[in-house]
Amino acid sequence: MSIPQIVQKGLALILGITGWYLILESSILGREAAFMYISGFKSFDTPEYLQLMDNFIFSYQLIGGILLSIGLVYLLKGLDQK
């Protein structure tokens, strides 16, 4: 196995683990991001906060899914090239 293949597998593994982490922790990260965003306003209503929190959670899940998919594709592609 050459050095570029090892680097590619390492990067694919990092992308996969990062995507997996974002998917698992999306509810906590989304809640914190929404709170940090909305804390700058003087007043806000609860439905607006909940909608914003749902949007942030969805964004983290989407980004995590994309990163996990890219990582898995590159890992499987590397296994195919033996």
Side-chain angles (χ1 to χ4, degrees), residues 42-67:
K42 297 204 185 279
S43 66
F44 60 89
D45 54 341
T46 305
E48 178 185 0
Y49 173 71
L50 292 176
Q51 179 63 37
L52 190 63
M53 188 173 67
D54 285 342
N55 290 342
F56 275 114
I57 290 172
F58 174 74
S59 297
Y60 278 111
Q61 288 175 344
L62 182 65
I63 292 168
I66 291 170
L67 290 177

Side-chain angles (χ1 to χ4, degrees), residues 6-60:
I6 294 172
V7 171
Q8 179 185 3
K9 284 188 179 183
L11 289 175
L13 192 60
I14 290 171
L15 282 174
I17 291 172
T18 303
W20 179 64
Y21 175 78
L22 284 175
I23 290 171
L24 284 180
E25 299 293 324
S26 62
S27 61
I28 295 170
L29 294 171
R31 190 178 332 124
E32 288 176 0
F35 179 74
M36 292 298 291
Y37 178 78
I38 212 160
S39 65
F41 300 129
K42 297 204 185 279
S43 66
F44 60 89
D45 54 341
T46 305
E48 178 185 0
Y49 173 71
L50 292 176
Q51 179 63 37
L52 190 63
M53 188 173 67
D54 285 342
N55 290 342
F56 275 114
I57 290 172
F58 174 74
S59 297
Y60 278 111

